[in-house]
Amino acid sequence: MTTSEAPSAASQSGTGSRTVFLLAHTGRPAAIRSAELVVQGLLRCGIGVRVLAEEAADLPLPASAERVETGPGSPDALAGCELLVVLGGDGTLLRGAEFARVSGVPMLGVNLGRVGFLAEAERDDLDKVVDRVVTRAYEVEERMTLDVLVRTDGEIVHRDWALNEASVEKAARERMLEVVTEVDGRPVSRFGGDGVVCATPTGSTAYAFSAGGPVVWPEVEALLMVPISAHALFAKPLVTAPDSVLAVEVQPETPNGVLWCDGRRSVELPAGARVEVRRGAVPVRLARLHHASFTDRLVAKFALPVAGWRGAPH
């Protein structure tokens, strides 16, 4: 994970006009109201706002807000924008990451859901968010991603990526998925179970955490491999080097599986398929407003009991 300062005004191209891209969960009334407040605050300060045309109809936007008709796979959606502000829960934030990765624009998340580890602010912080955006009082850090390949009979049949995790899972509830896991070209273990999660440190507090994996601090560069409900004596979570290559081979005699990337994109895995996971070539950039430690964030997000702590002796 690397950290840098927000771009200065002098570094902005063009005539000095500034634009922020806004992405919201329009199915939530709280997101719609929050979007209205953010848009009003930015426009009052002379900062342009751009939104997706498909969301514009559900948001109370003035005519001055720019509408674009494009998807997350196109870098044109955020061309010229200095920041991507995302309002919603974890799913909306992961959707925003798709835009952030392809464009290189930093993402600032406002949590309107339950946990929101990717978010930097909460619903009550909207005024602060607008102020920090206007004054560029934020830092930008890079988060590791995953590049994912699917091979069938040795041929690459699918490519994908993930910010949190790539999970190989059983497609049929009534039967286990039989897999062999591999690290750096060497087999580790064969077992049957519900699947395997390959995660980044960012994803260690997501699906990998639910599967019993360790919490890894974001500044630690590593890859995680966490079995899901494995029926085996040795099927423990593994933490490997960041340049390791992880692989999960679906055994020929097992039912079909499915590959999920960040729980948003999926592809069927026929028996015999091989999934390879490595450090992503393109990171996701996150805008940070606070200097609070990850330890404090962990305690706050999971409401961990810390009563009785007296602090280290000075």
Side-chain angles (χ1 to χ4, degrees):
M1 179 185 72
T2 60
T3 304
S4 62
E5 296 293 332
S8 65
S11 69
Q12 298 296 317
S13 59
T15 61
S17 61
R18 301 171 59 193
T19 304
V20 168
F21 195 97
L22 182 69
L23 193 67
H25 187 326
T26 56
R28 290 185 176 183
I32 295 174
R33 177 56 181 161
S34 298
E36 182 180 17
L37 295 174
V38 171
V39 170
Q40 290 174 350
L42 293 174
L43 291 177
R44 276 198 306 267
C45 296
I47 297 178
V49 176
R50 184 183 301 168
V51 299
L52 291 175
E54 63 190 65
E55 293 185 355
D58 298 321
L59 297 173
L61 298 172
S64 58
E66 181 183 358
R67 279 82 164 166
V68 293
E69 303 216 24
T70 187
S74 170
D76 297 335
L78 276 72
C81 293
E82 66 178 70
L83 198 64
L84 165 63
V85 177
V86 182
L87 308 172
D90 290 327
T92 309
L93 293 168
L94 287 170
R95 180 179 174 224
E98 296 175 355
F99 287 89
R101 175 180 175 269
V102 75
S103 67
V105 174
M107 180 177 74
L108 174 59
V110 179
N111 180 38
L112 304 181
R114 293 191 305 108
V115 181
F117 259 96
L118 287 173
E120 183 62 11
E122 302 296 325
R123 185 181 311 169
D124 296 336
D125 298 329
L126 290 176
D127 290 340
K128 182 187 298 184
V129 168
V130 172
D131 180 67
R132 295 292 189 90
V133 172
V134 171
T135 59
R136 293 196 178 95
Y138 57 87
E139 294 183 348
V140 177
E141 67 180 36
E142 292 186 347
R143 289 293 183 91
M144 180 191 300
T145 60
L146 303 174
D147 283 341
V148 186
L149 295 178
V150 179
R151 298 182 188 269
T152 301
D153 298 325
E155 298 293 325
I156 297 175
V157 296
H158 183 73
R159 296 178 185 268
D160 216 314
W161 75 281
L163 173 61
N164 275 351
E165 76 280 313
S167 59
V168 175
E169 304 176 34
K170 65 180 185 180
R173 178 178 175 83
E174 66 275 11
R175 295 188 61 185
M176 291 191 297
L177 186 70
E178 195 79 21
V179 299
V180 173
T181 57
E182 173 192 302
V183 177
D184 295 330
R186 305 304 302 161
V188 175
S189 183
R190 172 172 174 156
F191 55 84
D194 287 355
V196 182
V197 178
C198 298
T200 64
T202 300
S204 72
T205 51
Y207 194 0
F209 176 84
S210 299
V215 174
V216 180
W217 267 233
E219 57 267 29
V220 176
E221 295 194 336
L223 298 178
L224 285 72
M225 178 179 277
V226 184
I228 310 170
S229 302
H231 189 73
L233 291 177
F234 184 86
K236 300 297 183 182
L238 304 178
V239 181
T240 74
D243 57 353
S244 288
V245 178
L246 312 182
V248 181
E249 294 185 345
V250 179
Q251 294 306 286
E253 67 275 14
T254 198
N256 290 355
V258 60
L259 167 68
W260 283 95
C261 290
D262 284 338
R264 289 186 49 78
R265 303 174 301 280
S266 65
V267 63
E268 185 177 331
L269 299 174
R274 173 183 170 89
V275 178
E276 298 175 359
V277 179
R278 50 178 51 81
R279 181 177 189 159
V282 181
V284 168
R285 305 176 71 213
L286 299 182
R288 288 303 189 200
L289 306 181
H290 310 288
H291 291 285
S293 71
F294 180 75
T295 306
D296 292 338
R297 181 183 294 266
L298 188 72
V299 169
K301 293 292 185 180
F302 285 146
L304 301 179
V306 293
W309 178 73
R310 292 180 291 176
H314 296 289

